[in-house]
Amino acid sequence: MGLKRSDRRGFLKSGAVLAGGLALGAVRPASGQTPESVAFIKGSEELIAYGQRSRFETAVRISHGRTPSPDAFGLVKHVATPLQESVGVITPSALHYVGTTRGSYIPDIDPQEHRLMIHGMVDRPLTFTMEDLKRLPSVTRLHFIECAANRPSPTAKTIQESHGMTSCAEWTGVLLSVLLKEVGVKGGASWIVAEGAEEVKGASSIPMAKAMHDCLVCYGMNGEAVRPQQGYPLRLLVPGFEGIFNVKWLRRIKVVDEYYMTYNDYGHLRQEPENAALGYLIGPKSVITFPCAGQQLPGRGFYEISGLAWSGGGAIRRVEVSTDGGRRWTDAEIRGTAYRMAHTRFSLNWNWDGTETALLSRCTDEQGKIQPSRAQVAEFFNVPLDPSYRVPGRDNTIQTWRVASDGSVHNAYA
Ligand SMILES: Nc1nc2c(c(=O)[nH]1)N[C@H]1C(S)=C(S)[C@@H](COP(=O)(O)O)O[C@H]1N2
Ligand SMILES: [Mo]
């Protein structure tokens, strides 16, 4: 049962209803920590020059699916973010998921040598250096990226396995429209093809309307240079579109008048009409990050349910949470500002009575689109719902976590 925000203080004060492990009122320093006994991290020149997290923080990325990263040849494939440890909405750069379409060696690019060429159906083909790009007006925006491989799955043991192929970062760069105006797009041009610098080129065809609207050519990520695994020194950001469009190690944009087949289309072509109908946009989608599969609740009592919601269709307007398997839904609180095409944190106060239950979340975006259940998608496409039914295109269906009476939390996929 959800509690209004104003109820929370009073609720926390009555320690009796809190989970056993949460000993409010026992006021003494933790495990004998006195000012004299606190251990210190020895200052090293490296740690002063470039910091790192505490050795007690252990969240790490894992290989996504069955392909290990790096593989026997040193290729990096898909790597998933530990969403179960996420707080706020920004994914630390070191934990940002990695998507490499065909597996890739991470290019080691000297920014001094790097160039971005824009050519094709343009008045003035141009080649930009990193210095050129940094002279132009910049924008900084919070945006998520999500891989099409990110989907609720019957075999996932943890949220990292089912939902870890999305991350959100603060991106800084130049609007692609600024560069396209600089080269002068010719009449009749309707697509761009963006290409990466690695051996498989990671190229994608993107509609001109999107390119002109809000695509970013990024050199900055979370306050520093884009990380090599994310496309250093330059990547394209196509807000709200499926991950594969966000071309990393960006070195070439060709302006064209039709969709170009690229290596990326292998496995991603929308041949089936139902798949094509779903378009390129992500979501709306949400998932509860605490409590989630793989976690263990210490006992009955108060918990803040917390999660992330995002949509390719714009800002998240509403998130509802059910703590009784989907019978009743309560509006969750949106934490902070809900930015367009960015992860948005939501929360709901919950008093767990210690009996088995199921937790679900569903979100609505600014277009009024509501995250569907698997049953609704199956009904829409008029196919029987069984556990083997695979949602076509990008799967943004509702994720259910089952809380067992011993406090263990599990993936409930049906
Ligand atoms: N050049 C290039 N760009 C690429 C890819 C690639 O393999 N090569 N992978 C794409 C895929 S499939 C995804 S999901 C996103 C992942 O971005 P990230 O690694 O920064 O999370 O990058 C896209 N851009
Ligand atoms: Mo991807």
Side-chain angles (χ1 to χ4, degrees):
M1 205 19 224
L3 286 162
K4 295 243 173 57
R5 187 174 199 163
S6 53
D7 296 332
R8 191 175 170 193
R9 260 185 83 214
F11 184 63
L12 280 172
K13 261 195 235 153
S14 55
V17 292
L18 285 164
L22 199 59
L24 285 190
V27 186
R28 62 181 166 75
S31 61
Q33 268 179 18
T34 61
E36 302 77 44
S37 71
V38 171
F40 293 100
I41 297 170
K42 282 213 191 71
S44 71
E45 277 176 29
E46 300 92 274
L47 282 187
I48 297 301
Y50 198 88
Q52 67 179 43
R53 66 181 174 178
S54 160
R55 67 190 169 96
F56 299 106
E57 293 302 316
T58 54
V60 288
R61 296 183 294 196
I62 56 170
S63 296
H64 175 81
R66 284 176 297 276
T67 29
S69 275
D71 72 2
F73 305 101
L75 292 172
V76 172
K77 307 236 168 129
H78 282 8
V79 181
T81 292
L83 282 187
Q84 66 278 14
E85 303 267 355
S86 67
V87 292
V89 293
I90 291 179
T91 310
S93 299
L95 293 176
H96 197 284
Y97 92 89
V98 185
T100 52
T101 326
R102 304 276 154 259
S104 175
Y105 297 110
I106 304 300
D108 188 24
I109 298 174
D110 178 348
Q112 301 273 13
E113 305 295 321
H114 193 71
R115 301 287 182 271
L116 169 63
M117 176 168 79
I118 307 187
H119 67 139
M121 296 175 68
V122 299
D123 298 329
R124 298 168 294 278
L126 286 174
T127 299
F128 299 89
T129 64
M130 293 302 294
E131 228 169 44
D132 294 337
L133 294 170
K134 287 181 179 175
R135 285 173 60 173
L136 295 170
S138 66
V139 293
T140 294
R141 288 177 187 165
L142 208 62
H143 283 309
F144 74 82
I145 309 178
E146 183 180 22
C147 183
N150 211 35
R151 41 175 55 236
S153 139
T155 54
K157 294 266 182 304
T158 65
I159 189 178
Q160 190 165 8
E161 292 171 28
S162 57
H163 290 76
M165 293 302 285
T166 183
S167 296
C168 182
E170 190 200 69
W171 300 98
T172 297
V174 184
L175 278 169
L176 178 55
S177 60
V178 169
L179 304 182
L180 290 174
K181 281 170 198 159
E182 201 68 19
V183 296
V185 172
K186 288 206 161 111
S190 50
W191 291 84
I192 62 160
V193 186
E195 179 190 76
E198 89 277 32
E199 71 281 14
V200 298
K201 306 289 176 264
S204 282
S205 296
I206 295 157
M208 180 61 75
K210 181 66 175 173
M212 280 296 190
H213 182 221
D214 59 0
C215 290
L216 283 174
V217 173
C218 299
Y219 45 79
M221 174 186 185
N222 291 339
E224 61 180 356
V226 171
R227 293 278 171 109
Q229 291 167 339
Q230 267 63 54
Y232 182 87
L234 202 61
R235 87 167 305 162
L236 187 63
L237 217 82
V238 187
F241 272 35
E242 176 184 327
I244 201 163
F245 292 97
N246 298 266
V247 174
K248 305 193 275 192
W249 314 295
L250 180 69
R251 70 160 192 185
R252 187 158 79 104
I253 290 174
K254 187 170 181 182
V255 177
V256 296
D257 60 357
E258 62 182 335
Y259 186 100
Y260 271 36
M261 289 274 283
T262 68
Y263 201 23
N264 272 0
D265 289 305
Y266 171 74
H268 275 259
L269 257 194
R270 282 119 192 125
Q271 311 95 324
E272 317 92 47
E274 68 203 37
N275 220 332
L278 295 175
Y280 298 149
L281 283 187
I282 289 279
K285 189 163 176 177
S286 71
V287 67
I288 293 170
T289 59
F290 177 81
C292 68
Q295 291 175 337
Q296 172 72 45
L297 301 180
R300 63 181 192 84
F302 175 81
Y303 295 94
E304 183 192 64
I305 294 172
S306 176
L308 292 169
W310 61 96
S311 175
I316 292 297
R317 280 284 180 270
R318 182 184 193 193
V319 184
E320 297 158 280
V321 168
S322 172
T323 59
D324 61 5
R327 274 180 290 282
R328 282 169 303 168
W329 293 87
T330 308
D331 275 328
E333 245 187 86
I334 304 271
R335 295 280 168 190
T337 306
Y339 291 104
R340 306 191 73 237
M341 289 83 79
H343 282 179
T344 301
R345 178 66 61 180
F346 64 86
S347 67
L348 181 79
N349 293 340
W350 178 48
N351 186 21
W352 183 43
D353 63 9
T355 60
E356 168 149 344
T357 190
L359 307 176
L360 298 76
S361 66
R362 75 170 171 224
C363 64
T364 307
D365 69 15
E366 66 177 60
Q367 298 182 13
K369 296 216 170 78
I370 304 175
Q371 181 180 10
S373 65
R374 278 172 49 76
Q376 285 168 326
V377 174
E379 196 188 330
F380 180 80
F381 289 120
N382 200 18
V383 289
L385 175 70
D386 62 58
S388 69
Y389 172 61
R390 197 181 144 87
V391 168
R394 288 146 302 283
D395 185 341
N396 66 325
T397 57
I398 291 171
Q399 173 69 52
T400 307
W401 304 129
R402 181 173 62 83
V403 182
S405 54
D406 66 359
S408 59
V409 188
H410 309 268
N411 175 16
Y413 182 91

